[in-house]
């Protein structure tokens, strides 16, 4: 596409740096940009990863030259593994490397990025536009010294790269990976394979916890960005670096720790999180709502909006951590334990607190098999409460919304059919339920229709299309019966 036809442009924004803005109005679901990675590399997994295709292996098959893990003969001599194969083949002549060492995948990812300088100079130049946050990393003295000694120094001395790469180049590669690298997952050969990738244009997109665009990873590692909602000309195009699921107190800290900036998006600066109350508590002294006293990242005091009783930040964090730990101990089929946990923390957290909504999601998932009508209704209610809570902060055509609307619609149609057959609802009420299902299934299909083949969401798109067709047929027949 000619540059003057692109729906975006790269500009400089005070306090942000280079960023991407809409060059014209962009409709929801419209493709904004696509990009290919400068580098794709492994990152640590408890299982050895094939360094060519990233399949998990049992570690029994290795490259005959460098002794690093591969999944089989079909991956020997592959292009992805070529550069580090040469490096480690030479290295093992002078240095004994432990097999499947946990830091080896990270070293390989760094080597692959450094190799871009010589193998693809044009791509290396494009990476020059990206930030590496070197100054911020230098302030973390213990971590900085460790990187300089055990990675930069090691690669140049024992690794023999001193004549090939300067300390500054290796340090920048590490900074680029930490700041701009993303973890991607995709289906391959019956597994979900995971790797680290660095994209030159995509990396210019800024984060917002209430973003307006979303990511699609294709089988060939191409990344496609589509609008999640309508975007007006001049608006910054943003994505999420971190899940929408967590409340401000956890999410904001993680952003600083991992990306070295403080998010000032509308959600982060609002103690109520856009009125969602995803982090709010219930006052132990009255029915009031407890919120952070200020919108500061480091706010240490939470205050009731009615009686002004206060709770320390440490206690707020403790509540959330304990709830999470208890949730993790429950098996996914233990309905009663989820109900008990929901009852326990509903006395502490606001009804829309993210931990409460997560319990409701897992509780709904646990409710399956043979259920009473009341249990089916309860399952629908739980899923709708999750949807209503989170779509305030993650609006538009999201894949999580698509998958949940699909399930809610199918169950609602089933329940309405049961009630109509038993004479519990009128034909008009039945028709209204099916009409709502048609709308929701249409939304679900739009949320999921661009998902890559082989993913759970792509299968969901097919189910949504089939269910939508069936709902249209039921609706047509229902209206026909009403006319007769």
């Amino acid at each position: 596409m000619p540059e003057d036809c692109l729906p975006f442009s790269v500009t400089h924004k005070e306090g942000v740096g280079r960023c991407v803005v809409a060059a014209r109005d962009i409709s929801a679901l419209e493709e904004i940009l696509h990009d290919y990675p400068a580098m794709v590399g492994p990152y640590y997994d408890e299982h050895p990863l094939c360094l060519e295709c990233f399949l998990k292996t049992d570690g029994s098959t290795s490259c005959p030259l460098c002794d690093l893990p591969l999944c089989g003969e079909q991956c020997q001599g592959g292009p992805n593994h070529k550069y580090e194969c040469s490096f480690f083949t030479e290295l093992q002549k002078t240095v004994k490397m432990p097999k499947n060492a946990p830091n080896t995948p990270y070293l390989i990812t760094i080597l692959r990025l450094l190799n871009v300088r010589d193998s693809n100079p044009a791509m290396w130049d494009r990476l020059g536009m990206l930030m590496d946050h070197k100054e911020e990393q230098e302030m973390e003295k213990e971590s900085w010294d460790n990187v300089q000694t055990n990675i930069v120094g090691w690669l140049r001395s024992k690794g023999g790269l001193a004549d090939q790469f300067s300390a500054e180049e290796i340090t920048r590669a590490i900074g680029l990976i930490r700041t701009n690298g993303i973890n991607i997952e995709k289906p391959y050969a019956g597994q979900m394979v995971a790797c680290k990738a660095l994209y030159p244009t995509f990396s210019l997109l800024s984060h917002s916890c209430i973003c307006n665009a979303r990511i699609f990873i294709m089988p060939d590692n191409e990344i496609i960005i589509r609008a999640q909602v309508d975007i007006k000309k001049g608006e910054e195009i943003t994505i999420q670096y971190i899940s929408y699921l967590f409340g401000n107190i956890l999410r904001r800290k993680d952003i600083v720790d991992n990306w070295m900036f403080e998010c000032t998006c509308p959600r982060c600066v609002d103690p109520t999180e856009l009125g969602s109350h995803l982090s709010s508590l219930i006052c132990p002294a009255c029915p009031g709502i407890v919120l952070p006293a200020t919108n500061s990242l480091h706010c240490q005091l939470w205050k009731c909006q009615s009686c002004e009783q206060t709770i320390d930040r440490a206690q707020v964090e403790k509540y959330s951590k304990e709830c999470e730990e208890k949730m993790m101990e429950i098996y996914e089929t233990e309905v009663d334990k989820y109900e008990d946990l929901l009852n326990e923390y509903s006395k502490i957290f606001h009804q829309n607190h993210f931990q409460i909504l997560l319990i409701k999601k897992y509780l709904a998932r646990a409710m399956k098999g043979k259920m009473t009508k009341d249990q089916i209704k309860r399952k629908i209610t739980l899923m709708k409460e999750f949807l209503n809570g989170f779509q305030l902060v993650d609006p538009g055509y999201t894949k999580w919304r698509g998958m949940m609307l699909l399930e809610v619609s199918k169950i609602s149609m089933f329940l309405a059919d049961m009630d109509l057959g038993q004479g519990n609802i009128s034909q008009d009420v039945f028709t209204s339920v099916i009409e709502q299902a048609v709308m929701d299934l249409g939304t679900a299909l739009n949320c999921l229709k661009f998902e890559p083949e082989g993913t759970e969401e792509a299968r969901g798109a097919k189910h949504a299309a089939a269910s939508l067709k069936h709902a249209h047929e039921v609706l047509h027949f229902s209206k026909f019966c009403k006319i007769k």
Side-chain angles (χ1 to χ4, degrees), residues 82-93:
K82 184 176 180 180
Y83 181 70
E84 73 266 5
C85 181
S86 175
F87 173 83
F88 281 99
T89 298
E90 287 299 312
L91 182 68
Q92 65 185 3
K93 295 176 182 177

Side-chain angles (χ1 to χ4, degrees), residues 25-146:
D25 289 353
I26 301 173
S27 299
L29 295 175
E30 184 179 346
E31 182 179 317
I32 299 172
L33 67 85
H34 62 94
D35 200 10
Y36 284 93
M39 175 280 305
V40 178
Y43 62 88
Y44 175 71
D45 191 280
E46 61 182 2
H47 302 282
L49 298 177
C50 172
L51 295 176
E52 182 61 31
C53 69
F54 305 114
L55 282 175
K56 294 180 181 180
T57 75
D58 60 9
S60 61
T61 303
S62 300
C63 174
L65 298 177
C66 66
D67 202 34
L68 290 173
L70 295 173
C71 65
E73 292 183 3
Q74 69 277 9
C75 283
Q76 291 179 12
N80 291 334
H81 175 52
K82 184 176 180 180
Y83 181 70
E84 73 266 5
C85 181
S86 175
F87 173 83
F88 281 99
T89 298
E90 287 299 312
L91 182 68
Q92 65 185 3
K93 295 176 182 177
T94 57
V95 178
K96 183 173 177 59
M97 291 288 294
K99 195 174 183 67
N100 298 324
N103 64 334
T104 300
Y106 185 48
L107 287 174
I108 290 170
T109 299
I110 296 168
L111 288 168
R112 290 188 181 184
L113 182 54
L114 288 169
N115 183 49
V116 173
R117 187 198 67 180
D118 300 325
S119 64
N120 192 344
M123 178 66 79
W124 186 256
D125 289 343
R126 290 176 66 190
L127 296 177
M129 296 180 64
L130 303 182
M131 299 176 68
D132 61 10
H133 288 293
K134 180 184 176 184
E135 294 78 10
E136 290 87 344
Q137 292 183 58
E138 285 179 320
M139 294 173 65
E140 301 173 0
K141 184 170 177 17
E142 184 177 348
S143 174
W144 174 264
D145 290 345
N146 180 56

Side-chain angles (χ1 to χ4, degrees), residues 393-412:
V393 296
D394 196 26
Y397 292 104
T398 58
K399 63 182 178 182
W400 69 265
R401 183 178 174 223
M403 294 297 283
M404 191 157 281
L405 280 176
L406 170 60
E407 188 172 3
V408 168
S409 300
K410 290 170 67 176
I411 298 173
S412 296

Side-chain angles (χ1 to χ4, degrees), residues 406-424:
L406 170 60
E407 188 172 3
V408 168
S409 300
K410 290 170 67 176
I411 298 173
S412 296
M413 289 173 62
F414 170 78
L415 187 61
D417 185 59
M418 182 192 301
D419 279 337
L420 182 66
Q422 295 173 350
N424 297 325

Side-chain angles (χ1 to χ4, degrees), residues 216-260:
F216 297 82
I217 304 293
M218 309 313 288
D220 62 353
N221 297 323
E222 179 189 22
I223 194 166
I224 296 175
I225 307 302
R226 292 186 180 274
Q228 185 167 301
V229 296
D230 291 338
I231 303 173
K232 293 295 184 183
K233 180 180 178 179
E235 286 184 15
E236 185 177 358
I237 298 168
T238 57
I239 57 170
Q240 289 176 345
Y241 293 179
I242 189 170
S243 174
Y244 67 92
L245 284 170
F246 306 109
N248 273 2
I249 196 168
L250 293 178
R251 201 183 61 262
R252 295 177 73 187
K253 183 178 182 299
D254 278 353
I255 291 170
V256 172
D257 290 346
N258 289 287
W259 291 279
M260 291 167 285

